[in-house]
Amino acid sequence: MRPMRLDMAGFTVFRDDTTVDFTDADFFALIGPTGSGKSTVLDAICFALYGMVPRWGGPRGLANALAPSATEARVRLVFESGGARYVATRVVRRDGRGNVKTANAGLQLMPAGFDVSKLDTGLSPDDLGEVVAGTPAEMEQAVLEAVGLPYEQFTSCVVLPQGQFADFLHAKPATRQQILVNLLGLGVYEDVQKRATARAAQAEARLDAVDQLLAGLTGVDDEALAEADARVDRMAELAAAVTAAVPELAAARATAGQAAGALTALDDELTVLTGVRAPRGVAEVARAVTAARAEAEAAATGVSLAEEREEKLRGELTAAGDESALRLLLRAYDDRDRLTGEAGTVRATVGAANDEHSAAMAALTAARADAERADVELQAAVRAYEEAKTLDLAVSLRVHLHPGAACPVCEQPVDEVPAVPADSAVAAATAAGKAARAATEAAQTVVQQRDAAARNLERLLVQARARQEQMDARLADLDGQLVGAGEPAVLRRELAEHARLRRALDEAATAVRAGRDKARHTRAGVDAAEDRLRATWRGFDTARDGLARFGPPATDRDDVATAWTALTGWASAEAERRRADRADRAVVVARAEAAADAVQQHIAGTFAAADVPVGDDPVHAATVALERADADRRRLRERREQAGTLREQRAGHERDVQVARALAGHLRANNFERWLLAEALDLLVDGASGILRELSSGQYELVHDKGEFFVVDHHDAGLRRGVRTLSGGETFQASLALALALSEQLAGMSTTAASLESIVLDEGFGTLDAATLDTVAATLENLAARGDRMVGVVTHVPALAERIPVRFEVRKDARSARVERTGR
């Protein structure tokens, strides 16, 4: 697996859209300060493929994928594996309740030649090729088939994260063996063993099926074939005999059929002739028509008389005059009497209203005079009030005067000071003014009330006068209408005569309607009687037409009963003559049928001798019997051939069972797979040991014994030490040697998609001394220089980063981390 491009948005520290393009980065370093997000780039690669990250502690750490306060995280990885290019996408969202779930996951096989640099950075879900997996559940198997490694082995051999760099070194032998099985594709031998076992079972099933078929193929010996040949010969003789006898049988049956046909024709004629019978009541049909016609004529005469009486009464009613005019004159007399009485009442009302209106006007005039006097008195009170104010002002000046003093108004000396009144003139004038104002207001109120009463009476008087004028006009109109009119008694007698004539006219109209109904009824009776007569003649004509081939006599069309009598008599005579011929024809039929039965019995005996059912068609039955005998013989020969073929197939199936069981038995013990694993482990340890000697300046070598790894310390007399006893720096060197050996040695031996096309190291280069670090850098340079591996390093050691041509610098600010490519 070789990463090509990584896109992130909202993923942990990468809140903003971030792209890392690995397209031509065969040897690169991820650099940056501690905590900037270097390892997060490797986390994103693992998350896009497997949905997990080693540092999260399994699937439950999914919430770690979201950037702080973000609700969605998207990761897309474009990678190559086994010569094919894929794109893996995962989307994580937080719902309204705070739960974080995988919203989308998919793996697509990209078309050949697709330019990765043209991908947008928006992580859009546009189709990028054939969909290999479309759900999170489908992703696990699809990624395993594409990459060739499960999650645990991917993080031990391809992307080696912090804290798990030494997993392969410290893994148990069984775990390490399974990793090598996946890397080398050795599971194919287990598949071969399973398929060999399955093929053996299939061959045994086919063998059992052939045995069952052979058990069912009985009766296919030479004796059975000879018997089949003999039966074919017998059926051929039967067919020949039947072919010769069938024409004789056909001729006999034809003669019998002709005789039977002649007898049947005679019986049909007898049936027709004896079936001729006159219908019931044929004699009454004509009489019913005559009676119905007479009744119809009488009904028509009654209608004419009733119509003449109705017309006469209508003329008398017209001559009696206009009934509406008479009623209008009587109503005018009644209206004049009523209005005359009402007019007297209205005139009395007008007189009373006139008197009341005159009294009200006199009272209004008196009230207005009282109001004018009160207003004069109010004006006098106002003038007295003004004078009182002047007097009180003069009195107020007197209080301070004494004889001989100058008057403050005229400035003349005062000889004698007038006495000061005890009461104030203004107070008395004010009281008199209030009394005068109250009297004035009361008088105005009286004026308003009497004025309103006078107006109301005047309105009533106007209305009464208008009503009187209307009644006088109506009475004058009625008097004009009644000029020249008769007296009311005469008018009432004329109306009574009108009523009598109208009742008589109604009775006459009723009689006309009844007569017309009766006439319609009698005409319907005539139509029904004539229909019955016509139907009787049609029945006669139908019966006579049915006898036309026998030549019936001529018909008298005046009397239907006579016609039916003549026809039935003739038919009876013709039937009696044919009964005399029937006995001779019956004898001829019996003789012909006996001859045909004799031929039929001969044919039946021939079929019985051949043990074949005769059926309805002897020729067809003989032909079918011959064809069946021949088909049975062919099937017998086919079964004989099938039995020979099945015996050959059985021998082949027995050989297949033996070969498949032998192959499955050889592979069941896993000897070959164990040998291959031992060889692979030897190569791996030899390669890692050489790398470790270079890294340790010849101090350490790596060996294995029964699957366990040991380090030989040449600086301590070749002491063998278990790998779990190594220090941190020593463990790093041994782990790095194994990781490089996995990439260098085993990739060439792998036959599956799990070829190690890249390796990314994220572990403790800072623990190495300068010399060891130089050795590690040179080793990585040599590995990358071969051009068939991508080598990546996550480090914050400047000395190592400076020696790597392509560097991806990771920086982080308060909002988001970002990646910038430096170097070549």
Side-chain angles (χ1 to χ4, degrees):
M1 194 284 285
R2 182 186 182 101
M4 301 292 295
R5 171 177 170 143
L6 177 65
D7 294 297
M8 300 171 288
F11 184 74
T12 67
V13 297
F14 293 97
R15 177 188 294 274
D16 297 334
D17 291 350
T18 304
T19 297
V20 184
D21 190 353
F22 299 104
T23 304
D24 56 352
D26 293 331
F27 188 24
F28 69 89
L30 284 167
I31 62 175
T34 300
S36 60
K38 300 185 299 298
S39 298
T40 303
V41 176
L42 304 186
D43 294 344
I45 294 175
C46 293
F47 181 71
L49 293 173
Y50 299 99
M52 293 185 290
V53 172
R55 295 190 296 171
W56 295 354
R60 292 186 178 181
L62 193 63
N64 296 320
L66 293 170
S69 73
T71 58
E72 181 180 87
R74 292 174 175 264
V75 178
R76 181 176 64 194
L77 173 67
V78 180
F79 65 93
E80 290 182 349
S81 181
R85 184 171 294 178
Y86 300 86
V87 56
T89 306
R90 286 189 189 266
V91 179
V92 173
R93 292 193 182 98
R94 178 185 285 111
D95 59 22
R97 292 181 292 182
N99 299 321
V100 179
K101 296 180 180 179
T102 300
N104 183 31
L107 182 67
Q108 294 170 268
L109 177 62
M110 303 180 72
F114 188 90
D115 189 356
V116 177
S117 63
K118 293 183 178 180
L119 287 174
D120 65 354
T121 59
L123 302 178
S124 63
D126 295 340
D127 185 18
L128 299 177
E130 177 187 352
V131 177
V132 181
T135 65
E138 296 173 352
M139 280 288 285
E140 181 177 357
Q141 182 62 33
V143 170
L144 179 60
E145 293 176 358
V147 177
L149 292 172
Y151 168 73
E152 294 79 5
Q153 298 173 15
F154 181 82
T155 55
S156 298
C157 303
V158 179
V159 175
L160 283 71
Q162 292 182 6
Q164 300 183 27
F165 190 65
D167 281 357
F168 187 80
L169 178 68
H170 294 153
K172 294 181 180 179
T175 302
R176 193 182 299 119
Q177 177 177 325
Q178 186 59 45
I179 294 175
L180 293 176
V181 167
N182 289 339
L183 290 173
L184 298 176
L186 300 184
V188 67
Y189 300 107
E190 182 179 356
D191 293 340
V192 170
Q193 189 269 336
K194 291 179 180 178
R195 292 187 181 182
T197 302
R199 288 191 178 182
Q202 294 171 358
E204 289 177 347
R206 288 193 290 269
L207 184 61
D208 292 341
V210 169
D211 288 340
Q212 291 178 2
L213 292 175
L214 284 173
L217 293 174
T218 58
V220 294
D221 53 9
D222 295 337
E223 182 180 354
L225 181 61
E227 183 180 349
D229 291 338
R231 181 165 180 78
V232 170
D233 294 339
R234 289 197 302 273
M235 295 304 103
E237 294 174 358
L238 172 64
V242 170
T243 302
V246 164
E248 182 181 356
L249 176 62
R253 285 180 174 174
T255 300
Q258 292 174 357
L263 181 60
T264 301
L266 183 61
D267 288 340
D268 291 342
E269 291 178 359
L270 280 170
T271 301
V272 172
L273 290 170
T274 56
V276 178
R277 292 182 180 84
R280 290 182 181 181
V282 67
E284 288 78 11
V285 173
R287 291 195 295 271
V289 172
T290 302
R293 287 173 179 170
E295 186 178 358
E297 291 176 359
T301 301
V303 170
S304 298
L305 294 175
E307 288 176 346
E308 290 177 1
R309 174 171 171 73
E310 181 186 22
E311 188 63 28
K312 179 182 178 182
L313 289 171
R314 196 180 304 278
E316 292 178 357
L317 183 61
T318 302
D322 188 357
E323 184 180 5
S324 299
L326 294 175
R327 293 185 182 278
L328 288 175
L329 290 173
L330 283 174
R331 187 178 299 115
Y333 275 114
D334 294 338
D335 290 345
R336 188 181 66 177
D337 294 342
R338 178 178 54 79
L339 289 175
T340 300
E342 291 180 359
T345 302
V346 170
R347 289 189 185 95
T349 302
V350 169
N354 194 22
D355 294 340
E356 291 180 3
H357 180 261
S358 298
M361 291 302 295
L364 176 61
T365 301
R368 286 175 176 169
D370 293 341
E372 290 177 357
R373 286 194 298 272
D375 188 61
V376 171
E377 292 177 357
L378 176 61
Q379 295 300 325
V382 170
R383 288 193 298 272
Y385 174 74
E386 293 296 332
E387 293 174 355
K389 285 197 300 182
T390 303
L391 180 60
D392 280 358
L393 182 60
V395 171
S396 64
L397 295 176
R398 289 180 198 172
V399 175
H400 305 287
L401 288 178
H402 52 85
C407 176
V409 176
C410 62
E411 298 182 355
Q412 297 296 324
V414 178
D415 296 333
E416 182 181 357
V417 179
V420 177
D423 297 324
S424 171
V426 172
T430 300
K434 289 180 179 180
R437 188 175 297 280
T440 300
E441 293 175 354
Q444 290 293 337
T445 300
V446 172
V447 169
Q448 292 174 358
Q449 291 174 350
R450 291 183 179 180
D451 181 65
R455 290 177 183 277
N456 186 38
L457 289 172
E458 184 178 4
R459 184 170 58 255
L460 293 176
L461 180 59
V462 171
Q463 292 175 353
R465 288 174 177 172
R467 176 64 175 160
Q468 180 181 357
E469 291 175 357
Q470 291 175 357
M471 287 185 176
D472 291 341
R474 177 60 177 160
L475 284 172
D477 183 45
L478 290 174
D479 289 339
Q481 292 179 13
L482 295 175
V483 173
E487 293 299 326
V490 176
L491 295 176
R492 289 188 178 90
R493 285 196 298 271
E494 292 177 357
L495 282 176
E497 180 63 17
H498 267 281
R500 184 189 67 78
L501 290 174
R502 186 165 298 284
R503 287 194 298 272
L505 180 60
D506 291 341
E507 292 172 358
T510 302
V512 169
R513 288 194 294 272
R516 288 174 179 171
D517 291 340
K518 184 177 180 181
R520 283 195 296 272
H521 180 72
T522 56
R523 283 197 297 272
V526 172
D527 294 340
E530 291 177 348
D531 287 342
R532 288 195 297 273
L533 179 59
R534 285 191 292 272
T536 303
W537 276 112
R538 283 196 299 272
F540 174 82
D541 292 339
T542 300
R544 191 176 186 282
D545 292 343
L547 300 174
R549 54 180 171 160
F550 303 120
T555 302
D556 183 6
R557 302 297 293 186
D558 293 334
D559 188 356
V560 69
T562 302
W564 268 108
T565 300
L567 184 63
T568 54
W570 174 83
S572 297
E574 289 293 320
E576 189 62 30
R577 185 173 58 81
R578 283 168 175 74
R579 288 191 188 96
D581 295 339
R582 191 182 186 285
D584 294 338
R585 293 192 182 185
V587 172
V588 174
V589 170
R591 290 174 181 173
E593 289 179 348
D597 290 342
V599 178
Q600 180 69 37
Q601 290 175 2
H602 172 69
I603 293 174
T606 304
F607 272 93
D611 193 20
V612 175
V614 61
D616 296 332
D617 186 352
V619 174
H620 179 265
T623 303
V624 170
L626 177 59
E627 291 175 351
R628 287 179 179 174
D630 188 56
D632 290 342
R633 183 172 62 179
R634 286 197 304 272
R635 283 196 296 270
L636 178 59
R637 289 173 178 172
E638 292 172 357
R639 285 162 60 86
R640 286 166 61 88
E641 295 175 359
Q642 182 182 6
T645 303
L646 289 174
R647 293 187 186 97
E648 294 177 359
Q649 291 178 357
R650 188 180 190 286
H653 294 331
E654 283 183 334
R655 289 193 299 272
D656 292 343
V657 170
Q658 293 174 358
V659 172
R661 289 298 180 193
L663 179 59
H666 288 308
L667 294 178
R668 185 177 295 112
N670 298 326
N671 294 329
F672 186 61
E673 181 178 315
R674 281 201 297 270
W675 177 79
L676 287 176
L677 285 173
E679 288 295 314
L681 191 59
D682 288 343
L683 288 175
L684 173 63
V685 172
D686 287 345
S689 184
I691 296 173
L692 182 59
R693 281 196 299 271
E694 294 182 17
L695 294 175
S696 63
S697 300
Q699 180 178 358
Y700 299 117
E701 283 186 357
L702 188 66
V703 297
H704 74 96
D705 185 10
K706 297 179 181 181
E708 295 289 348
F709 286 159
F710 298 92
V711 171
V712 177
D713 188 352
H714 291 289
H715 290 183
D716 193 4
L719 176 65
R720 175 183 290 189
R721 298 165 53 192
V723 294
R724 297 185 180 277
T725 65
L726 300 178
S727 64
E730 293 168 340
T731 298
F732 175 79
Q733 289 181 338
S735 299
L736 177 60
L738 274 175
L740 296 177
L742 279 171
S743 179
E744 178 71 18
Q745 301 292 335
L746 296 185
M749 297 176 62
S750 177
T751 60
T752 68
S755 56
L756 300 181
E757 299 172 283
S758 59
I759 182 171
V760 182
L761 307 176
D762 183 10
E763 187 68 38
F765 294 102
T767 63
L768 304 178
D769 54 39
T772 303
L773 185 63
D774 184 70
T775 302
V776 169
T779 303
L780 294 175
E781 289 171 347
N782 292 335
L783 181 63
R786 297 182 52 174
D788 57 354
R789 298 290 185 277
M790 171 186 281
V791 179
V793 175
V794 179
T795 183
H796 56 271
V797 178
L800 178 59
E802 290 174 358
R803 298 183 58 171
I804 298 176
V806 178
R807 293 181 293 277
F808 295 98
E809 185 173 357
V810 183
R811 295 190 180 93
K812 181 182 178 183
D813 55 24
R815 173 174 173 78
S816 174
R818 60 184 183 276
V819 180
E820 182 181 356
R821 178 168 174 165
T822 61
R824 289 179 286 136

